[in-house]
Amino acid sequence: MRVSNGTRFINSFVENVCLGDAAVSHVCLGDSQLYPEDTSSMRRLTVELPAAGSLEWAYWVHAVAAVQDLVTPKRYMQLTAGGERYMVHSSFNALPSVMFESNGVFLFYPDEGASLHSVSPGDSVEVKAVIPVIDDAPLSIREQDGSGSRSYSLPFLPGTGLFVQWTKGQKKKSAGTYFTLSGSGSGLAHIQGQGQKNGHGRGETVSSVAWPWACRVADGSTHSWLNAFVDRDTGMLLTMQGYNSCNALMGRPRYPAFIRTFKLKVLSIA
């Protein structure tokens, strides 16, 4: 049995109960015995993950990647199992934490897992994900008017943008870049177009975001777009090409913020 008083003790185990000076042997609520209880707690919970290549899976892998190395009040995943709540990977509040492995296994710390009797195979558990806007790793091209590409293991989510930045190398040339962000598998272009900086400046650095709809990218624009997840795409490919004395070219996917609750089927507990 656990008890909380809102301040000092939060979700703490009850080790003994007294009525005045006399020890209490049992505490019941109706026909249910609350204390002492079977303290066997789960150490391992295996769930069925969303089908790979589906939109639900796409949000799931983005959420897992987001909390792998950083958890904050605005960036977290929270598991609810057997009436208990756990912060995935690390905790910033009074809730205990639980580790997650990519094969669908949650690992609890000793004596912190929910009761083995509270969840059964076939039941569902919930995982709430609160994820902010996140930039992925950059594709950086150092040589003037150079080209390059980079693969990303995360798939396109609706609302994903492409942050681009470059430096204008010569005074009378409109330096810019061509870019394409496409899905790995389908090859379909989600964001395609060019960014360009006009004028007579030299050494001027410009940055902009190409969104998956028609918009300006400095003095260039997004030409074509597909603002949708494509079934079975499991990643993305970014290609960029500088022109007209384009220097220090850089691009990176910018993923949208989202809040999503996943209901996952329990496969086994131990």
Side-chain angles (χ1 to χ4, degrees), residues 1-2 10-13 37-45 79-91 93-99 106-116 118-119 270:
M1 184 171 74
R2 294 173 181 256
I10 301 176
N11 203 27
S12 299
F13 283 103
E37 65 178 344
D38 183 352
T39 58
S40 298
S41 58
M42 68 177 72
R43 294 290 302 275
R44 183 184 182 96
L45 171 68
L79 166 70
T80 300
E84 307 288 349
R85 293 181 297 156
Y86 303 86
M87 305 306 297
V88 178
H89 286 306
S90 64
S91 182
N93 51 29
L95 296 178
S97 58
V98 60
M99 302 307 295
F106 290 96
L107 297 176
F108 300 88
Y109 290 97
D111 299 324
E112 289 190 350
S115 169
L116 282 170
S118 64
V119 178

Side-chain angles (χ1 to χ4, degrees), residues 5-263:
N5 69 357
T7 55
R8 185 177 177 186
F9 300 107
I10 301 176
N11 203 27
S12 299
F13 283 103
V14 175
E15 297 181 354
N16 54 72
V17 178
C18 293
L19 183 61
D21 294 329
V24 173
S25 60
H26 296 81
V27 176
C28 296
L29 179 63
D31 295 330
S32 300
Q33 181 174 305
L34 303 181
Y35 170 85
E37 65 178 344
D38 183 352
T39 58
S40 298
S41 58
M42 68 177 72
R43 294 290 302 275
R44 183 184 182 96
L45 171 68
T46 305
V47 298
E48 184 177 41
L49 298 180
S54 66
L55 179 60
E56 190 78 350
W57 167 85
Y59 279 106
W60 174 261
V61 294
H62 271 269
V64 170
V67 303
Q68 195 68 41
D69 299 313
L70 178 64
V71 174
T72 74
K74 296 182 179 180
R75 181 173 176 164
Y76 65 87
M77 295 177 73
Q78 180 179 283
L79 166 70
T80 300
E84 307 288 349
R85 293 181 297 156
Y86 303 86
M87 305 306 297
V88 178
H89 286 306
S90 64
S91 182
F92 54 82
N93 51 29
L95 296 178
S97 58
V98 60
M99 302 307 295
F100 175 74
E101 298 183 341
S102 60
N103 58 355
V105 175
F106 290 96
L107 297 176
F108 300 88
Y109 290 97
D111 299 324
E112 289 190 350
S115 169
L116 282 170
H117 305 295
S118 64
V119 178
S120 301
D123 292 346
S124 293
V125 296
E126 289 188 353
V127 178
K128 179 181 179 181
V130 177
I131 309 299
V133 172
I134 294 177
D135 282 1
D136 211 325
L139 164 62
S140 296
I141 301 171
R142 297 300 178 188
E143 63 271 20
Q144 180 171 294
D145 295 337
S147 63
S149 64
R150 179 164 188 159
S151 296
Y152 293 91
S153 60
L154 294 176
F156 183 91
L157 291 180
T160 296
L162 175 64
F163 177 83
V164 290
Q165 180 175 288
W166 68 97
T167 299
K168 189 174 185 294
Q170 293 190 30
K171 192 172 183 179
K172 295 182 180 181
K173 286 190 176 183
S174 298
T177 174
Y178 298 106
F179 51 77
T180 300
L181 182 65
S182 58
S184 298
S186 68
L188 295 175
H190 288 285
I191 303 174
Q192 188 171 52
Q194 69 183 109
Q196 182 169 298
K197 179 58 179 174
N198 299 336
H200 295 284
R202 176 187 295 160
E204 183 177 356
T205 297
V206 60
S207 60
S208 187
V209 179
W211 297 107
W213 46 78
C215 70
R216 304 297 293 175
V217 185
D219 296 311
S221 64
T222 304
H223 302 323
S224 60
W225 58 92
L226 176 60
N227 187 28
F229 173 76
V230 178
D231 288 343
R232 294 179 293 280
D233 271 1
T234 56
M236 294 184 296
L237 176 67
L238 172 61
T239 60
M240 303 184 77
Q241 168 73 63
Y243 63 86
N244 281 350
S245 297
C246 173
N247 292 285
L249 177 59
M250 185 271 284
R252 60 171 73 196
R254 175 165 290 177
Y255 304 124
F258 63 89
I259 298 175
R260 203 170 184 94
T261 298
F262 303 90
K263 292 184 180 297

